[in-house]
Amino acid sequence: MKTGEDDLQFLSSSLQGTSRTFALAIPLLGPELQYQVGIAYLLFRVADSIEDAACVDAARRHLLLQRLRDCLAPDCQQSSTLQAAMAEGFGGLWPAGSATEQLMVAASRLLRLFHQLPSAASACIRSSLDRTIVGMLDFLGSGAARGAEIRVETVAELKLYCYFVAGIVGEMLTELFCHHCPQLQPERARLLRLGVSFGQGLQMTNILRDVGDDARRGRIYLPVDELQRFDVKAAEILQRSAPWGYSDRFTALMQFQADRAHRLYDEALDLLP
C-alpha cells in the first residue's frame, strides 16, 4: 500500500520528538527499511513508555502492555474487541502536550501503519515486540516492581531486563537488515550476537545516565546486591536535594557499572568484521 505524505510526516515528527539517537540514524537507511525500522522503533517506544510511566501503578501498566500485545495480533483489524482496545488507546500516562504523550495518543495510527507492512516485516516486529512485552509483564509481576517503584535485586535480573528491553531490539534490527540485504545471511548468527551485546550496552548506558532521575522517581536499576557490595544505601541514590549521594563509594559503584557497559560494547566490536 502506498504510504501517504501525512503518514511519513507523522513518523518523522514522532521520531524527532521521542528519540535521542535513533532519529539521527534511521534516516541513513534506505526508504523501505527506514520506514519499517521507524515504525518498529516507535512501537517499542510505546511499550517502553507504558513500562516507564512513573505515576501509574504496576496493575495499570500490566493492563496497557497486554492491550498493546493484543493489538499486534494479525487479526486485530478484523476483531471488534481489539478494535475497541485500539480505540481506547494508551493516553493519559505522560504530561499533556509532551512528545511522548502525543505518541501514546496516536498509537492507534501507528498500529494501523504497522498492520499495513509487508508480512515478513510485520511478523519480525510482532515477534520481537511480543517477547519484549512478555519480559516487561514478567518484570512488573516480580518482586522488582512494587507499585510504581522498581528495585532490581541481582545482576542476573539486570542482565535479563537489559536483554528484553534492548537486546531483543538488536536481534530484530539484525533480522530486518538480513531480510533487506540477503548477502548478510551467512553472517546472521554472528550479527545477532553483536546486536544483543550492543543493545544491552546501550541500555546500561541509559541506566547509568539516568540513575539520578530514575531514583527520584522511585526506580533503582542498579542491583541491590552490588549496592551492598559497595556499601551504597538506596537512600543515597534516592536523595532528592543537595548534598547528593555521590560519595567515593558511589563513584566506585558507578565505575564498576560503566566497566560492565564497556565490556558489552567490546563484545559487540569484537564481532565486527
Side-chain angles (χ1 to χ4, degrees):
M1 180 177 295
K2 184 176 176 57
T3 305
E5 288 298 322
D6 286 348
D7 289 331
L8 292 174
Q9 180 57 41
F10 162 68
L11 293 175
S12 177
S13 61
S14 297
L15 284 168
Q16 293 293 331
T18 60
S19 170
R20 293 184 179 97
T21 54
F22 270 76
L24 299 175
I26 290 175
L28 301 177
L29 301 171
E32 185 178 6
L33 191 54
Q34 179 183 150
Y35 182 69
Q36 294 174 7
V37 172
I39 290 174
Y41 170 82
L42 290 171
L43 284 171
F44 272 85
R45 184 73 183 190
V46 169
D48 183 66
S49 297
I50 296 171
E51 191 266 340
D52 201 36
C55 298
V56 182
D57 65 26
R60 175 65 175 163
R61 284 178 279 155
H62 191 288
L63 174 67
L64 292 175
L65 284 169
Q66 187 58 58
R67 176 183 297 171
L68 177 60
R69 190 182 182 200
D70 291 342
C71 288
L72 297 171
D75 62 349
C76 177
Q77 294 179 305
Q78 285 73 47
S79 166
S80 58
T81 301
L82 293 181
Q83 283 180 343
M86 287 177 65
E88 289 178 24
F90 305 90
L93 306 182
W94 291 82
S98 67
T100 297
E101 179 65 8
Q102 290 174 13
L103 174 63
M104 303 300 278
V105 170
S108 60
R109 180 177 186 179
L110 181 62
L111 285 161
R112 174 179 61 80
L113 297 178
F114 162 75
H115 283 290
Q116 293 173 355
L117 289 174
S119 58
S122 62
C124 175
I125 297 168
R126 178 184 299 111
S127 172
S128 300
L129 185 51
D130 185 77
R131 289 190 294 133
T132 287
I133 292 174
V134 169
M136 289 177 171
L137 291 171
D138 288 345
F139 187 73
L140 289 175
S142 72
R146 304 178 180 90
E149 294 189 347
I150 289 175
R151 297 289 188 277
V152 172
E153 298 291 334
T154 66
V155 176
E157 197 173 76
L158 172 64
K159 289 180 177 178
L160 182 60
Y161 176 78
C162 287
Y163 172 70
F164 68 67
V165 300
I168 289 175
V169 176
E171 291 177 333
M172 177 198 68
L173 292 174
T174 300
E175 296 288 12
L176 289 174
F177 294 161
C178 287
H179 177 73
H180 282 267
C181 190
Q183 58 266 42
L184 293 176
Q185 285 294 339
E187 301 294 331
R188 177 176 171 275
R190 179 177 60 81
L191 292 173
L192 283 169
R193 296 195 302 274
L194 183 158
V196 170
S197 294
F198 193 59
Q200 290 177 312
L202 289 173
Q203 185 61 31
M204 274 302 305
T205 302
N206 289 344
I207 288 171
L208 297 180
R209 181 198 61 211
D210 297 335
V211 65
D213 289 340
D214 283 338
R216 286 183 283 279
R217 295 162 58 215
R219 294 157 181 236
I220 298 179
Y221 293 97
L222 303 181
V224 170
D225 56 3
E226 292 186 341
L227 293 178
Q228 294 170 346
R229 174 179 169 182
F230 286 86
D231 193 28
V232 173
K233 304 296 189 291
E236 296 179 57
I237 304 175
L238 290 167
Q239 181 78 16
R240 294 172 184 266
S241 59
W244 308 110
Y246 299 153
S247 62
D248 290 343
R249 292 171 288 104
F250 177 80
T251 300
L253 169 67
M254 292 298 284
Q255 182 61 59
F256 183 79
Q257 302 299 327
D259 289 343
R260 172 178 287 132
H262 278 294
R263 286 194 299 273
L264 289 164
Y265 288 132
D266 287 341
E267 289 175 12
L269 289 173
D270 286 344
L271 290 165
L272 288 174

